């Protein structure tokens, strides 16, 4: 199985701040990497697919990048609704696997 | 508008079989490239992919659950199903279904909580 290591596990940040969340795969995943946001009520929203493509309706302050084993999600200027959990997910090979999550908290 | 909604028993006892239903609208599981996946999340923990079923009835399972999983679909009624046999307390989780296409889960249900307890 491909292990996805997400860092940091939690991140205090302020409104307007630029933040980056990292995701490292245990082997190359050829950009087959998605990002999701989960709110405290459990609602899961897809953000980015295939490393850098925004899902429909996702604000442009979200962006993704990476290659090989290393990927990242960047939020350019935090809005109040961005404080949530974030997960990466690889689909290079089965079983599909998720990172352990990053909790973005208000500083 | 794409929507998905999970339904399940809520609570069941160890060793029983868990049956989950995903009822969806806004897409068809007979459309080329379309799929539905099941993902679960124990309280306070991360996401675990369980299984996917595709438009052509191809199926993929997470081997960590060995042979306990069975995924199926009813295309006519826009439903997908997941069965997990011989449940125990470790299967207590919120179970989500999601539309799968081009490797991404682009639409998710709200999740259904399943508790395994004697």
């Amino acid at each position: 199985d491909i292990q996805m290591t997400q860092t940091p596990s939690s991140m205090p940040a302020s409104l307007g701040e630029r933040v980056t969340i990292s995701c490292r795969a245990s082997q190359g995943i050829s950009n087959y990497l998605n990002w999701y946001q989960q709110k405290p009520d459990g609602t899961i929203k897809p953000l980015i697919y295939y490393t850098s493509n925004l899902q429909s309706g996702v604000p442009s302050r979200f962006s993704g990048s990476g290659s090989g084993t290393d990927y990242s999600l960047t939020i350019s200027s935090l809005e109040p609704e961005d404080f949530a959990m974030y997960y990466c997910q690889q689909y290079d090979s089965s079983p599909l696997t998720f990172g352990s999550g990053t909790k973005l908290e208000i500083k | 508008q794409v929507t998905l909604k999970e339904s399940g028993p809520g609570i069941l006892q160890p060793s029983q079989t868990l049956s989950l239903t995903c009822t969806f609208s806004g897409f068809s599981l007979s459309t080329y490239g379309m799929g539905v996946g099941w993902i679960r999340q124990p309280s306070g923990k991360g996401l675990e992919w369980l299984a996917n079923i595709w438009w052509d009835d191809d199926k993929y399972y997470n081997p960590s659950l060995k042979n306990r999983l069975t995924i199926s679909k009813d295309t006519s009624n826009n439903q997908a199903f997941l069965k997990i046999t011989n449940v125990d307390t470790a299967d207590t989780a919120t179970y989500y279904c999601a539309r799968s296409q081009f490797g991404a889960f682009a639409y998710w249900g709200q999740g259904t909580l399943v508790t395994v307890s004697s």
Side-chain angles (χ1 to χ4, degrees), chain A:
Chain A
D1 298 6
I2 296 177
Q3 307 303 317
M4 304 300 293
T5 302
Q6 218 177 306
T7 56
S9 57
S10 66
M11 176 187 284
S14 304
L15 289 172
E17 188 174 341
R18 178 186 179 93
V19 298
T20 297
I21 297 168
S22 298
C23 187
R24 173 168 287 178
S26 58
Q27 63 190 67
I29 56 172
S30 302
N31 291 95
Y32 294 122
L33 190 285
N34 303 319
W35 290 95
Y36 303 90
Q37 177 194 67
Q38 185 176 33
K39 292 293 183 73
D41 68 355
T43 302
I44 297 176
K45 176 183 178 181
L47 297 174
I48 288 173
Y49 64 97
Y50 194 53
T51 296
S52 59
N53 297 275
L54 257 61
Q55 291 279 1
S56 176
V58 173
S60 59
R61 64 181 181 272
F62 290 89
S63 63
S65 64
S67 63
T69 60
D70 295 323
Y71 300 83
S72 62
L73 171 71
T74 296
I75 310 173
S76 60
S77 179
L78 283 171
E79 297 284 338
E81 60 268 29
D82 299 338
F83 292 94
M85 285 290 291
Y86 291 85
Y87 293 94
C88 60
Q89 174 242 323
Q90 68 81 21
Y91 59 105
D92 178 72
S93 64
S94 188
L96 309 180
T97 47
F98 291 85
S100 55
T102 295
K103 186 173 184 179
L104 193 49
E105 302 172 300
I106 298 177
K107 186 185 289 184

Side-chain angles (χ1 to χ4, degrees), chain B residues 28-40:
Chain B
S28 172
L29 254 181
S30 61
T31 300
Y32 178 87
M34 204 66 69
V36 167
W38 287 94
I39 303 100
R40 72 179 179 181

Side-chain angles (χ1 to χ4, degrees), chain B residues 76-98:
Chain B
S76 301
N77 289 307
N78 286 343
Q79 291 181 315
F81 310 97
L82 184 70
K83 290 187 187 298
I84 306 178
T85 59
N86 192 26
V87 297
D88 68 11
T89 55
D91 296 307
T92 293
T94 295
Y95 287 77
Y96 295 92
C97 65

Side-chain angles (χ1 to χ4, degrees), chain B residues 8-79:
Chain B
I11 187 166
L12 69 167
Q13 294 184 336
S15 81
Q16 290 186 318
T17 294
L18 169 59
S19 294
L20 297 164
T21 299
C22 175
T23 302
F24 55 85
S25 63
F27 68 97
S28 172
L29 254 181
S30 61
T31 300
Y32 178 87
M34 204 66 69
V36 167
W38 287 94
I39 303 100
R40 72 179 179 181
Q41 184 177 40
S43 179
K45 297 189 177 181
L47 300 166
E48 179 183 30
W49 171 75
L50 299 176
N52 264 38
I53 190 165
W54 297 98
W55 83 101
D56 59 357
D57 210 37
D58 207 2
K59 300 163 188 173
Y60 290 86
Y61 296 103
N62 192 325
S64 70
L65 278 82
K66 299 174 183 174
N67 297 317
R68 298 173 54 213
L69 300 177
T70 303
I71 193 169
S72 59
K73 62 182 172 70
D74 179 348
T75 303
S76 301
N77 289 307
N78 286 343
Q79 291 181 315

